[in-house]
Amino acid sequence: MTALRFYTPLALILLIWQVAAMAAFVPEEMLPSPVLVADGMWRLITGGDLLLHIGVSIYRQLAGFFLAAFVGISLGIGMAHVEWVRTVFEPLVRIIYPLPKSALIPLLILWFGIGHNSKIFAVFLGCLLPIIISSFNGTRGVQNQLVWSARSLGTGPTRILWKVYFAAALPEIMSGMRIALAMSYTLLISSEFLIARAGLGFLIQKIGEQGDYAGMFAGILIVALIGFGADRLFVHIMGRALRWQEQG
Protein backbone atom coordinates (compact mmCIF):
# COMPACT_ATOMS: atom_id res chain seq x y z
CA MET A 1 0.00 0.00 0.00
CA THR A 2 2.87 2.40 0.80
CA ALA A 3 4.46 1.71 -2.58
CA LEU A 4 1.11 2.31 -4.28
CA ARG A 5 0.72 5.71 -2.59
CA PHE A 6 4.26 6.63 -3.58
CA TYR A 7 4.18 5.58 -7.24
CA THR A 8 0.60 6.54 -8.15
CA PRO A 9 1.33 10.31 -8.30
CA LEU A 10 4.40 9.60 -10.43
CA ALA A 11 2.32 7.52 -12.83
CA LEU A 12 -0.27 10.33 -13.05
CA ILE A 13 2.46 12.88 -13.78
CA LEU A 14 3.82 10.67 -16.58
CA LEU A 15 0.32 10.27 -18.02
CA ILE A 16 -0.38 14.01 -17.96
CA TRP A 17 3.07 14.65 -19.43
CA GLN A 18 2.44 12.22 -22.30
CA VAL A 19 -1.02 13.66 -23.04
CA ALA A 20 0.35 17.23 -23.00
CA ALA A 21 3.13 16.23 -25.38
CA MET A 22 0.72 14.47 -27.76
CA ALA A 23 -1.57 17.50 -27.75
CA ALA A 24 1.43 19.72 -28.56
CA PHE A 25 0.72 22.07 -25.65
CA VAL A 26 4.49 22.51 -25.29
CA PRO A 27 7.06 22.39 -28.12
CA GLU A 28 8.80 19.03 -28.33
CA GLU A 29 12.28 20.55 -27.96
CA MET A 30 11.21 22.12 -24.66
CA LEU A 31 9.48 19.06 -23.22
CA PRO A 32 9.89 15.75 -25.11
CA SER A 33 7.26 13.13 -24.38
CA PRO A 34 8.00 10.27 -21.96
CA VAL A 35 8.06 7.90 -24.93
CA LEU A 36 10.79 9.95 -26.61
CA VAL A 37 12.69 10.23 -23.33
CA ALA A 38 12.49 6.45 -22.91
CA ASP A 39 13.89 6.08 -26.42
CA GLY A 40 16.67 8.51 -25.51
CA MET A 41 17.37 6.48 -22.39
CA TRP A 42 17.67 3.32 -24.46
CA ARG A 43 20.09 5.02 -26.87
CA LEU A 44 22.22 6.14 -23.92
CA ILE A 45 22.25 2.65 -22.42
CA THR A 46 23.20 1.01 -25.71
CA GLY A 47 25.63 3.75 -26.69
CA GLY A 48 28.49 2.13 -24.82
CA ASP A 49 29.93 4.95 -22.69
CA LEU A 50 27.11 5.64 -20.22
CA LEU A 51 28.62 3.44 -17.50
CA LEU A 52 31.93 5.27 -17.87
CA HIS A 53 30.29 8.65 -17.26
CA ILE A 54 28.24 7.27 -14.36
CA GLY A 55 31.36 5.77 -12.79
CA VAL A 56 33.31 9.03 -13.11
CA SER A 57 30.48 11.07 -11.54
CA ILE A 58 29.90 8.62 -8.68
CA TYR A 59 33.62 8.54 -7.92
CA ARG A 60 33.75 12.34 -7.69
CA GLN A 61 30.57 12.52 -5.63
CA LEU A 62 31.56 9.82 -3.14
CA ALA A 63 35.10 11.16 -2.73
CA GLY A 64 33.85 14.66 -1.96
CA PHE A 65 31.01 13.45 0.27
CA PHE A 66 33.09 11.12 2.45
CA LEU A 67 35.88 13.66 2.75
CA ALA A 68 33.31 16.23 3.88
CA ALA A 69 31.82 13.73 6.34
CA PHE A 70 35.20 13.03 7.95
CA VAL A 71 36.26 16.68 8.17
CA GLY A 72 32.77 17.99 9.00
CA ILE A 73 32.08 15.59 11.86
CA SER A 74 35.54 16.16 13.32
CA LEU A 75 35.23 19.94 13.11
CA GLY A 76 31.64 20.00 14.39
CA ILE A 77 32.46 17.95 17.47
CA GLY A 78 35.69 19.87 17.98
CA MET A 79 33.93 23.22 17.79
CA ALA A 80 31.42 22.05 20.37
CA HIS A 81 33.99 20.98 22.96
CA VAL A 82 37.39 22.58 22.20
CA GLU A 83 37.50 26.32 22.68
CA TRP A 84 40.36 27.10 20.30
CA VAL A 85 38.78 25.03 17.52
CA ARG A 86 35.55 26.99 17.88
CA THR A 87 37.43 30.32 18.01
CA VAL A 88 39.34 29.55 14.82
CA PHE A 89 36.66 27.90 12.68
CA GLU A 90 33.31 29.41 13.74
CA PRO A 91 33.95 32.77 11.99
CA LEU A 92 34.88 30.91 8.80
CA VAL A 93 31.71 28.82 8.96
CA ARG A 94 29.56 31.92 9.49
CA ILE A 95 31.17 33.71 6.52
CA ILE A 96 31.08 30.79 4.09
CA TYR A 97 27.62 29.47 5.01
CA PRO A 98 25.50 31.98 3.00
CA LEU A 99 27.88 31.94 0.02
CA PRO A 100 26.51 30.03 -3.02
CA LYS A 101 29.01 27.22 -3.41
CA SER A 102 28.43 27.05 -7.17
CA ALA A 103 29.95 30.54 -7.39
CA LEU A 104 33.28 29.02 -6.31
CA ILE A 105 33.41 26.45 -9.12
CA PRO A 106 35.33 28.69 -11.60
CA LEU A 107 37.86 29.46 -8.87
CA LEU A 108 38.22 25.76 -8.04
CA ILE A 109 38.83 24.98 -11.70
CA LEU A 110 41.50 27.70 -11.77
CA TRP A 111 43.17 26.18 -8.70
CA PHE A 112 42.75 22.46 -9.36
CA GLY A 113 42.31 22.22 -13.13
CA ILE A 114 39.58 20.52 -15.14
CA GLY A 115 40.17 17.00 -13.83
CA HIS A 116 38.69 15.18 -10.85
CA ASN A 117 40.06 17.41 -8.10
CA SER A 118 38.03 20.54 -8.87
CA LYS A 119 34.77 18.55 -8.93
CA ILE A 120 35.63 16.63 -5.77
CA PHE A 121 36.45 19.84 -3.94
CA ALA A 122 33.21 21.48 -5.15
CA VAL A 123 31.24 18.55 -3.70
CA PHE A 124 33.37 18.70 -0.54
CA LEU A 125 32.57 22.39 0.03
CA GLY A 126 28.87 21.90 -0.64
CA CYS A 127 28.60 18.99 1.80
CA LEU A 128 30.90 20.31 4.50
CA LEU A 129 28.82 23.01 6.18
CA PRO A 130 25.58 21.02 6.72
CA ILE A 131 27.64 18.25 8.33
CA ILE A 132 29.61 20.68 10.52
CA ILE A 133 26.45 22.41 11.73
CA SER A 134 24.53 19.19 12.43
CA SER A 135 27.54 17.70 14.25
CA PHE A 136 28.01 20.86 16.30
CA ASN A 137 24.33 21.19 17.24
CA GLY A 138 23.90 17.49 17.91
CA THR A 139 26.95 17.29 20.15
CA ARG A 140 26.09 20.46 22.04
CA GLY A 141 22.64 19.06 22.76
CA VAL A 142 23.92 15.95 24.58
CA GLN A 143 22.52 15.77 28.12
CA ASN A 144 25.05 16.36 30.88
CA GLN A 145 23.60 13.43 32.85
CA LEU A 146 24.91 11.02 30.20
CA VAL A 147 28.40 12.46 30.48
CA TRP A 148 28.35 12.42 34.29
CA SER A 149 27.16 8.82 34.31
CA ALA A 150 29.96 7.77 31.96
CA ARG A 151 32.58 9.56 34.04
CA SER A 152 31.30 8.01 37.25
CA LEU A 153 31.85 4.59 35.67
CA GLY A 154 35.47 5.45 34.92
CA THR A 155 35.12 6.22 31.21
CA GLY A 156 38.06 8.24 29.88
CA PRO A 157 37.76 11.48 27.84
CA THR A 158 38.40 9.80 24.48
CA ARG A 159 35.80 7.09 25.05
CA ILE A 160 33.31 9.69 26.31
CA LEU A 161 33.78 11.62 23.08
CA TRP A 162 33.12 8.50 21.01
CA LYS A 163 30.69 6.49 23.15
CA VAL A 164 28.62 9.37 24.56
CA TYR A 165 28.85 12.55 22.53
CA PHE A 166 29.12 10.99 19.08
CA ALA A 167 26.59 8.24 19.76
CA ALA A 168 24.01 10.64 21.23
CA ALA A 169 24.49 13.15 18.41
CA LEU A 170 24.41 10.50 15.66
CA PRO A 171 20.74 11.05 14.65
CA GLU A 172 21.32 14.74 13.99
CA ILE A 173 24.69 14.09 12.37
CA MET A 174 23.15 11.60 9.94
CA SER A 175 20.29 13.99 9.17
CA GLY A 176 22.89 16.59 8.20
CA MET A 177 24.70 14.00 6.10
CA ARG A 178 21.48 13.17 4.28
CA ILE A 179 20.99 16.85 3.39
CA ALA A 180 24.62 17.02 2.27
CA LEU A 181 24.16 13.90 0.13
CA ALA A 182 21.37 15.60 -1.82
CA MET A 183 23.42 18.78 -2.22
CA SER A 184 26.41 16.81 -3.49
CA TYR A 185 24.67 15.98 -6.78
CA THR A 186 23.78 19.62 -7.38
CA LEU A 187 27.39 20.74 -6.99
CA LEU A 188 28.74 17.78 -8.95
CA ILE A 189 26.54 18.23 -12.01
CA SER A 190 27.00 22.02 -11.92
CA SER A 191 30.78 21.63 -11.96
CA GLU A 192 30.62 19.05 -14.75
CA PHE A 193 28.36 21.34 -16.77
CA LEU A 194 30.91 24.13 -16.58
CA ILE A 195 33.95 22.24 -17.77
CA ALA A 196 34.73 18.51 -17.81
CA ARG A 197 35.89 15.75 -20.09
CA ALA A 198 33.69 13.02 -18.57
CA GLY A 199 30.82 12.62 -16.16
CA LEU A 200 27.03 12.84 -16.35
CA GLY A 201 27.01 16.65 -16.37
CA PHE A 202 29.40 16.63 -19.32
CA LEU A 203 27.29 13.98 -21.08
CA ILE A 204 24.04 15.93 -20.62
CA GLN A 205 25.60 19.13 -21.91
CA LYS A 206 27.14 17.39 -24.93
CA ILE A 207 23.83 15.73 -25.86
CA GLY A 208 21.99 19.05 -25.49
CA GLU A 209 24.49 20.82 -27.76
CA GLN A 210 23.80 18.14 -30.39
CA GLY A 211 20.09 18.97 -30.28
CA ASP A 212 19.07 15.62 -28.82
CA TYR A 213 16.67 17.01 -26.23
CA ALA A 214 15.06 13.65 -25.49
CA GLY A 215 18.49 12.24 -24.72
CA MET A 216 19.25 15.27 -22.56
CA PHE A 217 16.07 14.69 -20.54
CA ALA A 218 17.03 11.01 -20.27
CA GLY A 219 20.42 12.03 -18.84
CA ILE A 220 18.72 14.28 -16.29
CA LEU A 221 16.41 11.39 -15.37
CA ILE A 222 19.43 9.13 -14.83
CA VAL A 223 20.91 11.67 -12.41
CA ALA A 224 17.58 11.86 -10.57
CA LEU A 225 17.37 8.06 -10.32
CA ILE A 226 20.93 7.78 -9.01
CA GLY A 227 20.23 10.48 -6.44
CA PHE A 228 16.99 8.77 -5.40
CA GLY A 229 18.72 5.41 -5.07
CA ALA A 230 21.54 6.95 -3.01
CA ASP A 231 19.03 8.62 -0.69
CA ARG A 232 17.07 5.36 -0.19
CA LEU A 233 20.32 3.50 0.54
CA PHE A 234 21.39 6.14 3.05
CA VAL A 235 17.98 6.02 4.77
CA HIS A 236 18.37 2.24 5.06
CA ILE A 237 21.87 2.61 6.55
CA MET A 238 20.59 5.36 8.84
CA GLY A 239 17.78 3.12 10.08
CA ARG A 240 20.20 0.29 10.89
CA ALA A 241 22.70 2.64 12.56
CA LEU A 242 19.98 4.14 14.76
CA ARG A 243 18.20 0.88 15.58
CA TRP A 244 19.44 1.16 19.17
CA GLN A 245 17.05 4.10 19.65
CA GLU A 246 14.04 1.86 19.05
CA GLN A 247 15.47 -0.77 21.35
CA GLY A 248 15.98 1.88 24.03
Side-chain angles (χ1 to χ4, degrees), residues 15-74:
L15 178 61
I16 295 171
W17 179 3
Q18 180 65 37
V19 171
M22 293 175 63
F25 289 144
V26 182
E28 184 178 288
E29 61 272 12
M30 292 182 61
L31 187 65
S33 69
V35 173
L36 291 176
V37 172
D39 179 68
M41 180 81 74
W42 177 251
R43 284 187 280 108
L44 284 177
I45 293 172
T46 58
D49 59 351
L50 177 61
L51 290 179
L52 169 65
H53 293 293
I54 291 176
V56 168
S57 290
I58 290 179
Y59 164 73
R60 292 165 174 168
Q61 183 267 331
L62 290 179
F65 175 75
F66 283 118
L67 181 61
F70 175 76
V71 175
I73 293 172
S74 302

Side-chain angles (χ1 to χ4, degrees), residues 155-179:
T155 307
T158 302
R159 288 181 62 84
I160 286 178
L161 191 65
W162 173 251
K163 294 291 187 179
V164 179
Y165 284 112
F166 178 78
L170 190 58
E172 189 156 353
I173 291 173
M174 297 198 76
S175 294
M177 290 178 66
R178 186 182 180 190
I179 295 172

Side-chain angles (χ1 to χ4, degrees), residues 167-244:
L170 190 58
E172 189 156 353
I173 291 173
M174 297 198 76
S175 294
M177 290 178 66
R178 186 182 180 190
I179 295 172
L181 181 64
M183 294 178 62
S184 68
Y185 290 97
T186 302
L187 272 298
L188 172 67
I189 300 302
S190 297
S191 63
E192 290 180 344
F193 273 153
L194 192 58
I195 185 167
R197 293 173 179 162
L200 288 172
F202 165 78
L203 179 64
I204 293 169
Q205 184 185 44
K206 184 178 75 171
I207 292 173
E209 290 174 349
Q210 295 171 350
D212 183 4
Y213 299 110
M216 185 178 69
F217 270 78
I220 295 171
L221 180 60
I222 289 172
V223 174
L225 291 174
I226 292 174
F228 174 76
D231 179 74
R232 292 297 89 195
L233 177 61
F234 188 83
V235 168
H236 175 72
I237 295 172
M238 188 173 175
R240 293 183 66 87
L242 302 179
R243 185 180 296 174
W244 58 269

Side-chain angles (χ1 to χ4, degrees), residues 65-112:
F65 175 75
F66 283 118
L67 181 61
F70 175 76
V71 175
I73 293 172
S74 302
L75 275 180
I77 295 176
M79 286 169 57
H81 298 287
V82 182
E83 187 63 32
W84 72 263
V85 175
R86 184 173 181 179
T87 302
V88 171
F89 289 101
E90 187 174 16
L92 296 176
V93 172
R94 291 181 180 274
I95 291 172
I96 297 175
Y97 186 75
L99 177 68
K101 309 309 176 292
S102 56
L104 297 174
I105 293 175
L107 184 61
L108 296 177
I109 291 174
L110 178 65
W111 286 348
F112 298 106

